[in-house]
């Protein structure tokens, strides 16, 4: 069997790895280098965690996601994960802890409420004014994303997986099982579109359902007064009335990063990645409301990336035509779940798992 994959972000790379492990011949195509720095998968770090609150089903999937990464670390010969724990801070009257407690207890993940005094002592860089409640949970940390995709690409190349960098896929025929890249036809038994924000160009039926979303990240250098606190900080999620910010501390040679989970749902994958004042403003406003002495932070970089999002933030993994699949993440959750979703799809492709169960399983509905 031969499988052609379009897109070499974490989804495509993980699927190539999972299929190779199952004895499948794989060809992997990307319009840029592999890994492609334009891909949203190329980043300092990404959050991973067990709790998902109202996004039911994914909490139960997360132990399998951690296990999939453990299998990947064994193949790569290095672990690109740092457990840090996670602090959840609410500036609105929402009982986050209560919503998460049952799920965390079921998964046997430690958690407890945080007092304002504890926040002031342990997280002095966080503004206390406006905090309504907070809690911390284990089973969380950071995946060093850029290092992961670089080592995955290296592993695939070392194992003679057929890589096609700088190969722009112009068309996919999911019925006949072929694609056209740089004007050349490539045949396969199965073609998988894992093209992220470029999905709609190759699969127009995705329009309106799987939407590109232009997102902006700020990378910061903390002031000296908070350097030690950040060096020992957990991953932080801060929910306010106008933001849903996530903050990753500068650990293991990475930079402090802040982004906002509020989706813009604008743009296309082919747009530029130059951050405008309008891109930056909402993230900067969130940062000013969260970080004490924000004026003392140095902005190292403003970065634009694109996610593909759905209304319910759930993966879309489904067969198309007679010989095709769509593999689409559901926002930034795509990285933490990439290898486990890819492994499930690989099982379906080789006949080790019923095809019919994959869409609901990947969407954490079954």
């Amino acid at each position: 069997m031969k499988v052609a994959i379009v897109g070499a972000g974490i989804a495509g790379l993980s699927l190539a790895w999972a299929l190779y492990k199952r004895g499948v011949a794989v060809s992997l195509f990307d319009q840029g280098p592999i890994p492609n720095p334009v891909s949203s998968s190329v980043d300092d770090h990404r959050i991973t965690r067990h709790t998902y609150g109202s996004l039911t089903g994914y909490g139960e999937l997360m132990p399998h996601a951690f296990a999939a990464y453990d299998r990947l670390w064994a193949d790569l010969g290095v672990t690109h994960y740092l457990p840090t724990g996670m602090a959840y801070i609410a500036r609105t009257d929402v009982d986050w802890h209560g919503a998460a407690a049952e799920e965390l207890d079921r998964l046997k993940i430690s958690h407890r409420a945080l007092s304002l005094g504890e926040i002031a002592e342990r997280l002095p860089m966080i503004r206390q004014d406006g905090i309504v409640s907070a809690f911390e949970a284990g089973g969380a940390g950071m995946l060093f994303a850029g290092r992961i995709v670089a080592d995955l690409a290296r592993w695939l190349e070392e194992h003679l997986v057929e890589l096609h960098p700088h190969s722009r896929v112009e068309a996919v025929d999911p019925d006949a099982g072929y694609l056209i890249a740089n004007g050349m036809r490539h045949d396969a038994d199965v073609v998988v579109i894992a093209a992220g924000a470029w999905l709609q160009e190759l699969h127009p039926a995705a329009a309106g359902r799987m939407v590109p979303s232009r997102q902006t990240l700020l990378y910061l250098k903390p002031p000296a007064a908070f350097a030690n606190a950040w060096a020992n900080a957990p991953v932080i999620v801060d929910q306010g009335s106008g933001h849903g910010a996530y903050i990753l501390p500068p650990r293991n040679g990475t930079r402090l990063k802040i982004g906002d989970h509020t989706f813009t749902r604008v743009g296309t994958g082919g747009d530029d990645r130059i951050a405008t004042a309008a891109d930056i403003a909402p993230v900067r406003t969130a940062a000013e409301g969260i970080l004490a002495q924000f004026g003392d932070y140095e902005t190292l970089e403003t970065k634009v990336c694109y996610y593909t999002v759905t209304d319910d933030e759930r993966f879309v993994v489904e067969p198309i035509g007679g010989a095709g699949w769509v593999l689409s993440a559901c926002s930034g959750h795509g990285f933490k779940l990439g290898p486990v979703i890819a492994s499930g799809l690989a099982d379906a492709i080789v006949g080790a798992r019923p095809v019919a169960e994959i869409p609901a399983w990947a969407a954490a509905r079954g």
Side-chain angles (χ1 to χ4, degrees):
M1 173 183 282
K2 183 170 185 177
V3 176
I5 304 169
V6 184
I10 188 61
L13 289 166
S14 294
L15 182 59
W17 164 73
L19 287 167
Y20 176 89
K21 298 282 286 184
R22 288 158 177 77
V24 176
V26 180
S27 55
L28 178 62
F29 296 80
D30 198 278
Q31 62 185 330
I34 297 177
N36 189 343
V38 173
S39 165
S40 297
S41 295
V42 178
D43 195 2
D44 283 18
H45 36 24
R46 291 292 181 87
I47 295 173
T48 189
R49 65 186 191 271
H50 281 80
T51 178
Y52 269 87
S54 60
L55 198 58
T56 56
Y58 279 114
E60 285 75 9
L61 196 55
M62 285 310 300
H64 302 285
F66 276 83
Y69 266 112
D70 285 339
R71 294 191 295 273
L72 181 60
W73 308 145
D75 281 346
L76 297 182
V78 63
T79 298
H80 292 308
Y81 168 65
L82 179 68
T84 63
M86 195 160 184
Y88 297 81
I89 297 172
R91 299 176 189 271
T92 60
D93 191 18
V94 176
D95 185 12
W96 270 15
H97 193 195
E102 181 180 348
E103 181 177 63
L104 290 169
D105 286 340
R106 188 166 58 251
L107 297 172
K108 297 182 171 56
I109 301 295
S110 63
H111 61 93
R112 69 183 187 90
L114 289 174
S115 68
L116 288 178
E118 288 177 296
I119 295 172
E121 180 180 357
R122 293 172 49 194
L123 303 173
M125 64 288 205
I126 300 299
R127 291 181 55 166
Q128 292 188 61
D129 54 303
I131 295 178
V132 176
S133 63
F135 76 99
E136 65 178 356
M142 302 189 298
L143 294 165
F144 297 106
R147 300 170 194 178
I148 292 169
V149 293
D151 279 355
L152 247 176
R154 173 190 54 78
W155 187 91
L156 293 171
E157 187 173 21
E158 289 175 352
H159 288 77
L160 304 181
V161 171
E162 190 179 304
L163 304 182
H164 295 269
H166 306 288
S167 298
R168 184 174 182 82
V169 175
E170 301 138 15
V172 172
D173 189 324
D175 287 301
Y178 72 84
L179 59 82
I180 306 294
N182 292 348
M184 295 183 59
R185 173 170 168 153
H186 298 264
D187 291 287
D189 297 293
V190 176
V191 179
V192 181
I193 305 174
W198 291 266
L199 171 64
Q200 291 184 19
E201 297 178 18
L202 300 173
H203 183 50
R209 179 184 174 203
M210 293 166 265
V211 181
S213 186
R214 183 178 176 94
Q215 305 296 128
T216 304
L217 306 170
L218 299 183
Y219 298 86
L220 307 170
K221 180 180 179 180
F226 295 139
N228 186 62
W230 278 118
N232 296 283
V235 169
I236 299 169
V237 170
D238 189 297
Q239 181 70 52
S241 59
H243 67 260
Y246 51 91
I247 308 171
L248 290 89
R251 306 283 289 273
N252 287 12
T254 63
R255 301 163 294 175
L256 172 63
K257 181 178 81 173
I258 181 168
D260 193 346
H261 194 65
T262 303
F263 299 130
T264 68
R265 299 178 184 273
V266 298
T268 66
D271 290 347
D272 67 60
R273 300 299 195 273
I274 301 171
T276 67
D279 290 324
I280 297 167
V283 184
R284 186 175 180 85
T285 298
E288 289 172 342
I290 295 167
L291 301 178
Q293 301 177 31
F294 179 69
D296 294 335
Y297 284 74
E298 177 186 352
T299 300
L300 300 174
E301 183 186 0
T302 56
K303 178 180 178 180
V304 169
C305 65
Y306 275 85
Y307 295 145
T308 297
V309 301
T310 57
D311 287 342
D312 59 6
E313 293 189 55
R314 295 180 183 271
F315 272 78
V316 177
V317 184
E318 59 192 23
I320 55 173
W325 283 85
V326 165
L327 169 54
S328 181
C330 53
S331 77
H333 302 308
F335 208 100
K336 61 180 70 69
L337 288 154
V340 71
I341 296 295
S343 296
L345 175 54
D347 281 340
I349 288 172
V350 301
R353 189 167 187 171
V355 167
E357 78 177 30
I358 295 299
W361 167 79
R365 292 194 179 96

